[in-house]
Amino acid sequence: MAAKKTTKEMYIVGNWKMNPAAAEEARELAEALRSGLGKADVRVVVCPPYPFIPAVAAARAAAFELGGQDCSVHSEGAHTGEVSSAMLADLGCSYVIVGHSERRALGETDEIVNRKVKAALKAGLRPIIAIGEKSRDSFDTSGRFSAELDPIIKEQLAAALVGVSAQKARSVIIAYEPVWAIGTGHAASADDVFSVRIFLQKALRELYDASTEATIPILYGGSTDANSDALLAESGVDGFLVGGASLKAEEFIAMVADASRIGAQRTSS
Ligand code: PGA
């Protein structure tokens, strides 16, 4: 008899970014998700802009979980414009995206990302740590993962987790988001994502140990849409962090259904 294979849960996380334009539209989108999402065996997380979190929280009726798109390094005090992890938790969030490349592009350093990861964990949120290289050149023409990619991804991963214990790391989610794929309509290939997924698992084993690594989901993000089921199946990642397609209820729901089907196949194989 084959040994029982342990598989991680599947995640589909929607990053709405600075959309939609008004709270009423956010409420409508949340309602469309609530009524369209069946009982899928997938953790579905929606990360709306801060001001819309209450409207989305009211409309979701437990159909999905909530996350912030960022958080402050601080926990309270005189920090104009900042939003703490505790505030997000108070509004019903269980997750927060940290280190998204669009924030790194505004000057967010690895050190800041690390402080945000710790702030999130302290408030009981699960940080979704986004890491990824800037250039497609990190892969050779056959899609093989080149040596130059190692330092960038490993550095971002290790830096984000400085001072995070193995116990705390069990709450973390890693999202591999190559900058060159985000918002371009050109997702990374399943081969690319497969290589990086294995590489990240090895790096997590080096940082912690195999049993801790086995609890840390690794997601992919960058131009995924309703046609990305092969990418999900073949790369072996534990789900997607979705930007543009998360604003279209039908596409997002289709991705959740795919993740549910692929997750069930993995558990039974
Ligand atoms: P995209 O964005 O799906 O629109 O490429 C992904 C992300 O930035 O998280």
Side-chain angles (χ1 to χ4, degrees):
M1 201 176 101
K4 191 174 176 334
K5 215 174 102 192
T6 52
T7 41
K8 298 173 189 175
E9 278 184 292
M10 292 292 244
Y11 291 78
I12 296 291
V13 182
N15 173 12
W16 287 5
K17 308 193 179 184
M18 206 168 72
N19 301 292
E24 181 55 18
E25 287 172 64
R27 192 187 57 75
E28 283 169 15
L29 180 52
E31 273 177 6
L33 292 179
R34 183 194 62 197
S35 56
L37 283 166
K39 247 192 82 53
D41 206 3
V42 174
R43 300 203 81 130
V44 183
V45 183
V46 171
C47 303
Y50 294 142
F52 301 159
I53 291 174
V56 174
R60 80 190 157 120
F64 52 85
E65 299 180 279
L66 275 176
Q69 295 176 14
D70 187 27
C71 64
S72 178
V73 299
H74 305 288
S75 51
E76 62 181 342
H79 305 289
T80 303
E82 294 283 283
V83 172
S84 74
S85 288
M87 291 171 182
L88 293 174
D90 186 54
L91 291 179
C93 292
S94 313
Y95 302 81
V96 61
I97 300 168
V98 176
H100 191 281
S101 60
E102 286 155 15
R103 300 225 52 90
R104 292 183 193 257
L106 297 173
E108 194 158 303
T109 61
D110 281 340
E111 195 244 329
I112 294 173
V113 173
N114 176 241
R115 290 174 67 195
K116 290 184 174 183
V117 167
K118 288 180 184 155
L121 288 167
K122 197 167 165 210
L125 297 182
R126 296 185 65 185
I128 302 169
I129 305 172
I131 59 177
E133 77 287 357
K134 289 208 176 89
S135 159
R136 179 71 181 80
D137 299 343
S138 309
F139 293 90
D140 67 20
T141 46
S142 64
R144 200 160 296 125
F145 184 34
S146 85
E148 295 94 75
L149 187 50
D150 301 18
I152 306 163
I153 293 194
K154 210 168 178 174
E155 264 166 45
Q156 287 183 346
L157 181 74
L161 293 169
V162 167
V164 176
S165 67
Q167 183 57 34
K168 289 273 186 200
R170 288 170 181 260
S171 300
V172 160
I173 296 169
I174 306 296
Y176 168 55
E177 293 218 312
V179 181
W180 51 266
I182 294 177
T184 60
H186 301 288
S189 71
D191 272 359
D192 293 350
V193 180
F194 178 89
S195 304
V196 177
R197 197 252 306 162
I198 300 287
F199 178 76
L200 287 171
Q201 286 180 311
K202 280 195 195 147
L204 286 167
R205 282 174 189 217
E206 280 170 31
L207 285 173
Y208 298 104
D209 51 70
S211 77
T212 305
E213 177 272 309
T215 64
I216 302 177
I218 297 176
L219 315 185
Y220 166 76
S223 294
T224 50
D225 57 24
N227 301 316
S228 302
D229 51 326
L231 170 56
L232 186 58
E234 290 163 24
S235 65
V237 289
D238 307 300
F240 289 148
L241 175 52
V242 188
S246 71
L247 296 165
K248 299 173 199 140
E250 261 180 45
E251 280 208 32
F252 191 68
I253 290 163
M255 293 168 91
V256 172
D258 286 341
S260 177
R261 181 174 45 78
I262 292 163
Q265 283 166 4
R266 283 187 195 166
T267 322
S268 66
S269 64

